[in-house]
Amino acid sequence: MRDQTAGRKELRGDCGNCFGLCCVALPFARSADFARDKPAGSPCPNLAADHRCGIHDRLRQQGYTGCTVYDCFGAGQQVSQVTFGGRDWRGAPREHARLMFEVFPVVRQLHELLWYLTEALALPAARPVHPELRRLLERTEALTGGTPEELAALDVPAHRQEVNVLLLRTSELARAGVGGRRKDRRGADLMGARLKGADLRGANLRGAYLIAADLTGADLRGADLIGADLRDTDLTDADLTGAFFLTQPQLNAARGGAGTRLPGSVTRPVHWTAHR
């Protein structure tokens, strides 16, 4: 079983061991996040022959902010090196490439679930459900080891729902011991909300829309942030210590600075400025 103390390194993207799958398999539309349209299964024009991004050091300046936010949770190297045994999509039969591109988002979802389950097992307050969490973690890991055909046929929504029931229980247990009012803002529309300095300790912010919200100096200790939309959310000087189910892509989409306090499961985005 996965080691919860290993920093979840295997659940982070390792582009050096991936065949640039996110740059080929996934579609994107011209928007504030992407400078142009790209259909699924078509290589991004910035993708080099060695599967590296030709503008990696200037993605934001070139209009590809979306690429700097994205993380595959390690699905890229899993599909490239394990599922397909190191067989590249370049020069391969069309069916091989098609199946690789179809499997990649499936494994990405499974790896995201592994991230949440691993974090849940690291929460002491969730000890009553640790046995069930371990069981689901082991099953999810087993699913990631399936053949390409098995993965393509997998009913991911059904598996996600089973995991989610347990994550909800984990959230209740973890937030029960946090001070404050433990506000329930699940799925709330908080786009552009002025929440500067707000007391959101132990809040349920699952799936909340916090796009462009002002959370400067807010207290988010022990909050559940699973699925919260943090695009352009201002987290300057906010305290997210102990916040859980926060992923690196969520954080990458937000704004913050040197004074933003983060849980140990994520790293400070490189594009955050040291001084505001």
Side-chain angles (χ1 to χ4, degrees), residues 9-24:
K9 183 178 180 181
E10 68 275 26
L11 295 179
R12 298 179 189 273
D14 179 3
C15 298
N17 284 303
C18 176
F19 298 136
L21 294 181
C22 65
C23 305
V24 186

Side-chain angles (χ1 to χ4, degrees), residues 174-175 178 200-203 219-224 239-244:
R175 292 184 297 107
V178 180
L200 294 169
R201 286 175 293 166
D219 191 344
L220 291 151
R221 288 177 291 173
D224 180 351
D239 189 351
L240 289 88
T241 306
F244 53 94

